[in-house]
Amino acid sequence: MLCEFQKLIYPQSIRLADPGSYMVAVYIPCEKVYDSAGKLITQIKAVGYCLPLSDKIRYDMQGRWSKNARFGIQFEVENYSEVIIPTKEGVIGYLSSGQIKGIGPKIAERIYDEFGDLALEVLDKEPQKLLSISGITESKLKKICDSYLMNRGARDVIAFLSPYGITANKAVRFYKEYGKKAIETVKNHPYKLCEISGIGFLSADKIALSMGTNPLDPRRVDEGLLYTLAEAEGRGHLCLERRIFIKEALKLLNTEGLTEDMAACRAQILVNQGELVCYGSEVFRSKTAAVEGCLARAALKQVQSNHKCIYNDLDNDLDNEEKKLNLTLAPEQREAVKTALTSGLSIITGGPGTGKTLIQRAILDIYSNRYPRNEICCCAPTGRAARRMSQSTGREASTVHRALGLYASEDGTYGKSSSISADLIIVDEVSMLDVYLAEHLFLAVKKGSQLVLIGDADQLPSVGPGAVLSEMIASGCIPTVRLDRVFRQNSGSRIATNARVIRHGNLSLEYGTDFKFYESPEMIDSASTIVDLYMQETALHGIDNVALLTPLRQKTETGVNALNELIRDRVNPPASSKAETPEGRGKKYREGDKVMQIKNFEDVNNGDIGYIRKIVNMGDDTMIRIDFGDGRIKEYDVSEMDMVDLGYASTVHKSQGAEYSTVIINLQCAHHIMLTRPLVYTAITRGKSKVIIVGERRALCIAIKRIDTDKRGTCLAKRMQDIINSKE
């Protein structure tokens, strides 16, 4: 049926219409269409997913008529194709219809002037030729190609998967992987969808069961077993104990007649096939087991590294360093410097105020004086931690990712890393290293170099899976120095004192001007108090020197999302001079907003803070320019802003590696699921001069008394010990 778009009924506006959303629209027939009574139909109410909404193109629609008790006769669209009249007006009309991001009327006309009636063929088969058109850059061409792919090749896949809750972007990624066979692949092997980042087992399973897959089908059980471990990795575990693994898989599969013995039998088959790996009583996915095993071997190899740095009298060097710094190092601090300088691999761990920064300076000074020609690399897992390291040591520091040359792809995964040529590598905030980044780091270190790991083992573990720092310490295989005494120059600091008290599970905290508590049992009142305190502190110290931390992102009045909106309205209110992103295109942003990257992408890492410097709305296309500092200025379109969130408030996890003049923390009993000692310890140790807690004292006590109940599943320490024992 040939027709033209007239108007959208649902959603209410084209701007609110996501490509994967359910739509209702009215079309005008371009040919004679009659109803069952022989009456001419002049309007067609169409329903479906990914309906075409341009009034500049004709569409040949395929589908079926249906009668709805409430809405009457409707046409259920199953598929459609554009009918483009092969004239200049027709081609330009299609190109500038708004369906292809990055092409407006002027660029569409330039494309036609260059390629004529072959313009669409060029777009289809040789899009690189479009770079010859004025106004089309490499980045714009990528947007054009992605948009064209979504609107033509991937459209059927989007329409097929959208009813199952799979977004258009994820459907496009699946189409890129399988091309024209995408729908056939879903129908024959629905669990292939699990290969796409962000599409989990539950979505694929819903499709499989709707297509008649037997709930007891071995393939379904296998996918459920594998997904159980993948989902556990999302919670920080590298492995699960066998019985827990089987029970969690059965809960996920939720299938009558599926017993523990049946699931265990399938798990053993997956072990035999190399999909799963057992290590003692723990079960891993094979990929994850390989990474942990590789890291264990690489760490031990680094311990045994024959570095060439020799020191005749380190005590004399340390005495000279003390004179230079005009202070006296404590015995454990001197031991830490000696251990770092004389070991292939060493760990220095301690809380705030114990002298970790001072020790870094001493290590760097003594090493560079002895070996001025040797190369030194200072790095940390996040940009904020790297900048703080640079400020405190006076030496250039980068992120670990940048030192390794690691850049994230669209799905957040990293490619191959490059080697690090430095002779001495110091890594700060190592508690934030997950097992994957740690493996990249250890494999990149050159033979004969020295690696010094510095961090606080009592902080929250990494966002990614594993517990690298605590496991390496627990292994007993790596020279380690623990710092427990507080030496911070402002020795009266209650922050450092209370951090030490909390670390030992003691409730006897000290309160004063630099450590305050505001009792506020009601979350609405807490939110109001928090915002007022935030405004006061930012007026004193500046917005970049104040952190607002809360355990949860959603669900409560004091969650990250709610607080971000409240604060943004006070800090960066709307104004005629500030451009904003369009209504109905996801979360609203405006020029001047402080934002946080929440997904690794290229050289911007999860947790990096930036500011929106410019928003340009060009028809259906919107460009958002974000400055992340260090020369990293990135341009996003609206569809890419799901990688970004407002950055005034953040979770405690996201604050790791940063330090602020003032930290405001919210703790409520309603946060009970997140209240643990590592969480509150990590939160208060972000504060340099002042910590303010708003909430319930009972919530604070619960957190201090509760150690991390969900200990991470990992065998790194055991693997290292087993390797050592096997060589004895």
Side-chain angles (χ1 to χ4, degrees):
M1 177 173 57
L2 196 64
C3 56
E4 294 177 348
F5 171 74
Q6 184 183 44
K7 66 178 180 179
L8 184 65
I9 298 176
Y10 178 83
Q12 295 178 343
S13 132
I14 289 179
R15 288 195 179 279
L16 293 171
D18 180 85
S21 64
Y22 182 78
M23 301 177 188
V24 181
V26 175
Y27 295 85
I28 304 298
C30 298
E31 55 187 352
K32 291 183 179 181
V33 179
Y34 299 92
D35 63 14
S36 57
K39 186 178 178 182
L40 186 68
I41 297 175
T42 57
Q43 280 189 336
I44 297 165
K45 186 192 290 183
V47 298
Y49 293 87
C50 312
L51 295 183
L53 304 177
S54 174
D55 57 4
K56 298 180 180 179
I57 307 172
R58 290 184 174 185
Y59 303 99
D60 184 9
M61 290 186 163
Q62 294 87 44
R64 59 190 178 86
W65 295 97
S66 65
K67 188 171 184 178
N68 184 289
R70 182 178 175 187
F71 299 110
I73 300 293
Q74 299 178 147
F75 187 74
E76 295 182 4
V77 179
E78 296 173 351
N79 193 10
Y80 70 86
S81 57
E82 294 97 348
V83 178
I84 303 165
I85 302 169
T87 63
K88 179 176 181 178
E89 293 74 19
V91 173
I92 292 175
Y94 171 69
L95 291 173
S96 62
S97 65
Q99 292 190 121
I100 306 174
K101 290 181 182 178
I103 298 182
K106 289 182 179 178
I107 289 182
E109 194 159 338
R110 289 177 202 153
I111 292 172
Y112 187 85
D113 288 344
E114 178 71 21
F115 301 110
D117 292 344
L118 297 175
L120 297 182
E121 188 175 337
V122 169
L123 183 58
D124 220 7
K125 298 177 181 177
E126 300 177 282
Q128 286 295 319
K129 285 186 175 181
L130 295 181
L131 289 172
S132 64
I133 305 299
S134 173
I136 298 182
T137 61
E138 286 278 3
S139 60
K140 177 163 277 192
L141 179 63
K142 182 180 183 303
K143 290 179 183 178
I144 290 171
C145 291
D146 286 349
S147 180
Y148 182 71
L149 178 69
M150 180 180 289
N151 280 285
R152 287 185 70 82
R155 185 182 58 223
D156 294 343
V157 181
I158 294 170
F160 183 77
L161 295 176
S162 289
Y164 299 102
I166 295 174
T167 66
N169 286 338
K170 291 171 185 172
V172 169
R173 290 214 304 272
F174 190 76
Y175 177 81
K176 285 180 179 179
E177 183 72 24
Y178 289 98
K180 295 178 180 179
K181 294 184 178 179
I183 291 179
E184 180 187 345
T185 301
V186 172
K187 288 179 177 179
N188 296 328
H189 308 283
Y191 296 104
K192 288 283 187 184
L193 286 165
C194 297
E195 296 173 358
I196 305 301
S197 175
I199 302 179
F201 171 82
L202 294 177
S203 296
D205 194 45
K206 184 178 179 181
I207 295 172
L209 293 175
S210 73
M211 293 178 178
T213 297
N214 186 332
L216 291 172
D217 188 316
R219 291 174 298 178
R220 177 176 182 265
V221 177
D222 291 352
E223 292 294 340
L225 290 164
L226 291 168
Y227 180 76
T228 298
L229 288 171
E231 193 274 336
E233 288 170 27
R235 305 197 310 269
H237 302 291
L238 294 172
C239 55
L240 292 174
E241 194 276 330
R242 289 182 185 183
R243 288 170 297 177
I244 294 173
F245 166 53
I246 294 299
K247 286 181 179 179
E248 287 196 10
L250 288 174
K251 185 178 178 181
L252 171 75
L253 289 161
N254 190 26
T255 301
E256 187 177 350
L258 181 61
T259 66
E260 288 190 19
D261 287 344
M262 291 166 66
C265 180
R266 290 307 310 173
Q268 184 58 53
I269 291 172
L270 289 174
V271 170
N272 296 340
Q273 293 174 347
E275 297 270 4
L276 297 180
V277 172
C278 292
Y279 192 84
S281 62
E282 303 295 321
V283 184
F284 293 75
R285 289 198 300 165
S286 57
K287 168 191 167 186
T288 314
V291 170
E292 189 180 71
C294 179
L295 177 58
R297 292 187 296 274
L300 291 174
K301 183 179 178 182
Q302 188 63 34
V303 170
Q304 297 153 5
S305 172
N306 293 318
H307 61 88
K308 299 175 182 179
C309 297
I310 301 171
Y311 301 87
N312 298 323
D313 190 354
L314 261 178
D315 283 315
N316 184 58
D317 289 332
L318 284 163
D319 292 341
N320 291 333
E321 186 67 16
E322 287 179 338
K323 290 175 185 176
K324 176 184 174 181
L325 298 173
N326 193 26
L327 50 76
T328 301
L329 294 167
E332 58 266 43
Q333 293 176 324
R334 291 176 73 98
E335 181 193 355
V337 176
K338 288 180 178 181
T339 301
L341 290 170
T342 57
S343 305
L345 173 63
S346 59
I347 295 173
I348 300 168
T349 183
T354 56
K356 296 192 300 296
T357 298
L358 179 64
I359 288 165
Q360 286 184 53
R361 289 179 61 185
I363 293 168
L364 290 165
D365 285 348
I366 294 172
Y367 185 88
S368 58
N369 286 337
R370 282 290 190 101
Y371 300 98
R373 294 184 178 180
N374 283 9
E375 186 181 345
I376 296 171
C377 172
C378 295
C379 57
T382 68
R384 285 177 291 174
R387 284 190 290 275
R388 187 157 63 88
M389 189 181 190
S390 183
Q391 291 163 2
S392 61
T393 63
R395 293 176 180 269
E396 184 180 348
S398 73
T399 62
V400 176
H401 300 85
R402 181 168 288 186
L404 293 168
L406 279 176
Y407 296 98
S409 60
E410 286 183 18
D411 62 0
T413 58
Y414 291 102
K416 289 184 178 180
S417 57
S418 54
S419 60
I420 299 177
S421 60
D423 302 285
L424 174 67
I425 304 155
I426 299 181
V427 187
D428 199 7
E429 296 290 352
V430 177
S431 63
M432 301 175 67
L433 281 185
D434 64 34
V435 70
Y436 296 113
L437 187 55
E439 184 205 28
H440 277 293
L441 172 66
F442 274 82
L443 292 179
V445 174
K446 75 175 184 180
K447 186 177 180 181
S449 62
Q450 293 175 265
L451 178 59
V452 183
L453 306 179
I454 300 175
D456 187 347
D458 293 305
Q459 285 188 27
L460 286 167
S462 56
V463 175
V468 173
L469 179 60
S470 59
E471 282 287 294
M472 285 189 170
I473 293 171
S475 74
C477 302
I478 300 171
T480 300
V481 179
R482 296 174 185 270
L483 307 171
D484 198 41
R485 277 196 289 170
V486 175
F487 297 100
R488 185 166 278 172
Q489 282 74 6
N490 54 336
S491 56
S493 168
R494 294 178 180 86
I495 299 172
T497 301
N498 286 339
R500 187 170 184 272
V501 168
I502 288 170
R503 190 159 58 84
H504 293 289
N506 194 325
L507 300 176
S508 303
L509 305 185
E510 296 180 16
Y511 297 94
T513 55
D514 60 347
F515 201 97
K516 299 181 178 182
F517 190 96
Y518 288 81
E519 184 71 34
S520 180
E522 297 297 328
M523 278 192 286
I524 294 178
D525 296 336
S526 293
S528 177
T529 300
I530 286 166
V531 173
D532 289 342
L533 288 168
Y534 185 88
M535 297 305 295
Q536 291 172 24
E537 293 300 318
T538 53
L540 290 172
H541 305 292
I543 196 168
D544 286 329
N545 295 314
V546 179
L548 172 50
L549 309 179
T550 184
L552 296 177
R553 176 164 294 280
Q554 302 174 358
K555 297 182 180 178
T556 71
E557 293 90 340
T558 57
V560 170
N561 293 346
L563 289 173
N564 264 326
E565 294 292 345
L566 288 173
I567 292 170
R568 194 261 297 272
D569 288 343
R570 294 277 294 274
V571 173
N572 188 35
S576 58
S577 60
K578 300 175 188 174
E580 298 184 347
T581 53
E583 291 280 356
R585 302 291 293 274
K587 189 175 292 184
K588 177 175 282 190
Y589 295 93
R590 67 177 60 106
E591 289 177 348
D593 275 345
K594 180 181 181 180
V595 294
M596 176 185 284
Q597 185 82 7
I598 57 174
K599 178 182 176 182
N600 295 325
F601 182 60
E602 295 181 349
D603 61 343
V604 182
N605 302 122
N606 189 345
D608 282 356
I609 295 291
Y611 287 88
I612 295 179
R613 301 303 185 195
K614 195 170 189 63
I615 296 175
V616 180
N617 293 306
M618 304 166 288
D620 283 347
D621 204 11
T622 298
M623 182 276 292
I624 302 101
R625 182 175 297 141
I626 303 177
D627 183 355
F628 288 99
D630 303 328
R632 294 176 300 159
I633 297 174
K634 297 293 180 183
E635 291 187 356
Y636 296 72
D637 64 28
V638 172
S639 66
E640 294 170 326
M641 289 299 282
D642 59 355
M643 296 191 290
V644 174
D645 205 349
L646 290 173
Y648 304 99
S650 78
T651 60
V652 179
H653 264 104
K654 294 285 188 186
S655 72
Q656 286 180 268
E659 191 175 63
Y660 305 89
S661 296
T662 300
V663 172
I664 303 167
I665 305 163
N666 177 240
L667 296 173
Q668 309 280 165
C669 290
H671 301 152
H672 63 90
I673 191 171
M674 298 293 291
L675 296 177
T676 64
R677 187 183 302 167
L679 180 128
V680 71
Y681 175 85
T682 301
I684 72 162
T685 54
R686 301 308 92 207
K688 191 162 51 175
S689 303
K690 187 187 295 185
V691 167
I692 303 171
I693 302 175
V694 178
E696 298 172 81
R697 201 172 297 272
R698 181 166 168 260
L700 175 60
C701 294
I702 290 171
I704 293 172
K705 283 298 182 184
R706 186 197 285 171
I707 58 173
D708 195 350
T709 53
D710 192 18
K711 187 179 182 303
R712 292 199 161 182
T714 171
C715 296
L716 181 60
K718 187 175 186 305
R719 286 182 193 273
M720 294 175 70
Q721 292 164 352
D722 288 348
I723 293 170
I724 291 289
N725 293 334
S726 68
K727 293 180 179 179
E728 292 179 353

